[in-house]
Amino acid sequence: MPIEGFDYKEFAASMSEQAKELVPKELQDREKEYIVKTLGNFTLLAGEALYNDTQLNLTVEQAVFITQVIAEWSFHKSIDLIHSGILPQYWDSIMQKIAFTIFEVAKQAVIRKIPQDQLLQAVEHHVIKVYNSSIEELQKKGIIDEETKNRAESQSNIDAMAKQAQEEQMRQKQAAIEEAEKNQAEAEKRREERRKQRKLDKQKASMPQGITQKQMKLMTLALVLKILSQDKVTTILNKFDSNDSLAISEYMNMADLESHIDGDLITNCLKEMKEYLPIKRKLTKENVLGDLLRIYRKVPREKIERVIKNERPKVKKFIAQTYDGEFSELPLRVAGIVAQYVEESI
């Protein structure tokens, strides 16, 4: 009795359609047609033989499995033959031997209930054996040379596709990792923005009514200045414009200044101010000269000369030489003091 439910014609047609999508793009049209036609013919013949064999008592699944194995190996070995350099008139005989071998090995393995993984290993072993023996036979007959034989035996489209699939899997995995890292970075950025917004909202909520952000920073600075010496306070205040300097002085004189500022707000203001405070640099000739040249670009020379008009000749000579980018014999520590004096006096 034929295998009920096994439509081998439809299955062969389905295998052929799938093959059309998988054939290597670089092949010529006639080569692509050969692959699809060969696969379709062997799949159809094998399916029909299994369907009409009333002695095997195969299930639909077993018949489909055997037919599919023939289709897959027909696909791969026909591609190997095309890449081998062997002339097309010899392809059919080799492919017929391969298809017959697969059919018999797979059929017997299914009958003997050999596990699928062992069945597939046995099929692969016999396919390679028949393929290589067919190639060697062509060489013995003088149809192909040693180079063509070696090239033909080295072909393995099934391994090439497996490697390609593995590489594609790795690319997809890497792409997924990169996408996950990108999403994580964006999520962290959004979280940071939300933290900053909450921090800002908290600052605004804790800020006394009617006091601006700038006033709060000036109050915070006033708190810091209250613990410094008068000389340092004067030096710092001289760096502000007159309005801000006056405001800071007034805040410093407030007896209850601390009560007007939220503790967390003070901390946040100090952290923000710290980002803009100058970093103490190492005293070097290059740094001193750079500081002076920076001042010279902003301040007229006449103004600087008025600042140092009562200084000693060596100081005046030092200033004059620095305009030319030179550093005189003035001791480095003294030169640093002069540079600081000039900056604070202009």
Side-chain angles (χ1 to χ4, degrees):
M1 178 180 178
I3 305 173
E4 185 178 354
F6 178 45
D7 190 342
Y8 62 89
K9 293 181 181 180
E10 182 180 348
F11 185 75
S14 174
M15 291 289 98
S16 296
E17 287 300 316
Q18 292 181 44
K20 291 179 183 179
E21 301 298 324
L22 297 174
V23 289
K25 305 298 182 184
E26 71 275 6
L27 296 182
Q28 299 179 16
D29 289 342
R30 61 180 180 82
E31 295 171 335
K32 295 177 181 178
E33 291 173 3
Y34 177 80
I35 296 169
V36 175
K37 181 180 178 182
T38 300
L39 178 149
N41 288 340
F42 288 151
T43 305
L44 184 64
L45 290 172
E48 184 179 11
L50 294 173
Y51 180 80
N52 293 321
D53 193 331
T54 58
Q55 302 298 320
L56 292 176
N57 293 321
L58 297 178
T59 64
V60 175
E61 291 76 15
Q62 290 171 327
V64 168
F65 176 72
I66 295 173
T67 311
Q68 185 172 358
V69 171
I70 292 174
E72 291 177 353
W73 276 108
S74 298
F75 177 82
H76 292 302
K77 298 317 289 183
S78 59
I79 293 176
D80 289 345
L81 279 174
I82 291 171
H83 287 152
S84 71
I86 296 174
L87 295 175
Q89 58 261 38
Y90 303 106
W91 295 351
D92 283 347
S93 62
I94 297 174
M95 291 303 303
Q96 287 168 6
K97 294 177 184 177
I98 291 173
F100 178 77
T101 298
I102 298 172
F103 183 79
E104 290 300 322
V105 172
K107 185 172 65 173
Q108 292 301 320
V110 169
I111 293 173
R112 294 164 57 187
K113 298 182 180 179
I114 294 176
Q116 277 194 13
D117 57 340
Q118 295 181 23
L119 184 156
L120 293 174
Q121 290 176 6
V123 168
E124 182 176 8
H125 169 76
H126 285 284
V127 166
I128 294 173
K129 182 179 179 181
V130 171
Y131 176 80
N132 288 342
S133 64
S134 299
I135 302 301
E136 290 170 0
E137 184 179 346
L138 291 178
Q139 186 198 24
K140 289 177 181 178
K141 292 180 178 180
I143 296 174
I144 61 174
D145 55 19
E146 182 72 19
E147 182 181 352
T148 303
K149 169 184 172 294
N150 293 334
R151 181 168 63 249
E153 291 180 343
S154 67
Q155 300 299 320
S156 181
N157 185 70
I158 190 170
D159 290 337
M161 287 190 68
K163 182 180 179 181
Q164 184 179 7
Q166 185 179 25
E167 292 174 349
E168 178 61 26
Q169 186 178 17
M170 290 299 295
R171 283 194 293 270
Q172 292 178 356
K173 183 178 180 181
Q174 183 62 33
I177 291 174
E178 292 176 357
E179 182 67 20
E181 291 176 346
K182 178 182 177 183
N183 292 338
Q184 184 177 359
E186 291 177 350
E188 179 58 32
K189 182 180 178 181
R190 290 192 295 270
R191 286 194 292 270
E192 181 62 25
E193 290 174 351
R194 289 195 293 269
R195 283 195 292 267
K196 289 182 178 179
Q197 186 59 47
R198 288 195 296 268
K199 179 179 176 182
L200 182 61
D201 293 342
K202 183 178 179 181
Q203 288 181 358
K204 290 180 179 178
S206 61
M207 190 177 296
Q209 190 68 27
I211 297 181
T212 65
Q213 184 74 13
K214 180 179 179 180
Q215 288 175 316
M216 189 59 61
K217 291 179 180 179
L218 294 179
M219 286 182 176
T220 303
L221 180 58
L223 279 175
V224 175
L225 295 184
K226 288 177 71 173
I227 64 174
L228 299 181
S229 66
Q230 185 59 47
D231 291 341
K232 290 183 178 180
V233 170
T234 302
T235 300
I236 294 174
L237 290 180
N238 286 338
K239 297 181 182 295
F240 289 85
D241 63 44
S242 57
N243 291 331
D244 289 344
S245 178
L246 179 60
I248 294 172
S249 297
E250 291 176 351
Y251 294 143
M252 289 177 65
N253 292 324
M254 290 177 59
D256 58 345
L257 177 61
E258 292 83 353
S259 63
H260 290 274
I261 312 176
D262 178 76
D264 291 337
L265 193 57
I266 293 175
T267 302
N268 293 331
C269 285
L270 288 175
K271 287 180 179 178
E272 186 176 342
M273 290 165 57
K274 185 179 179 181
E275 296 178 2
Y276 300 96
L277 291 176
I279 300 174
K280 185 176 182 181
R281 296 179 301 163
K282 184 177 180 181
L283 184 62
T284 64
K285 290 183 179 181
E286 292 75 13
N287 287 341
V288 172
L289 187 58
D291 290 341
L292 287 171
L293 292 175
R294 176 175 49 80
I295 295 171
Y296 297 160
R297 286 192 294 268
K298 299 179 180 179
V299 181
R301 185 164 182 168
E302 295 78 9
K303 184 175 181 179
I304 293 176
E305 288 178 347
R306 285 198 298 272
V307 170
I308 63 170
K309 67 178 181 178
N310 296 323
E311 294 295 331
R312 291 166 294 173
K314 282 188 177 182
V315 172
K316 293 180 179 179
K317 180 181 178 182
F318 168 73
I319 294 297
Q321 288 178 324
T322 55
Y323 268 99
D324 299 325
E326 299 178 1
F327 199 96
S328 68
E329 69 279 2
L330 200 66
L332 182 59
R333 183 176 178 81
V334 176
I337 294 174
V338 171
Q340 184 178 2
Y341 168 72
V342 171
E343 182 178 10
E344 293 175 355
S345 299
I346 56 176

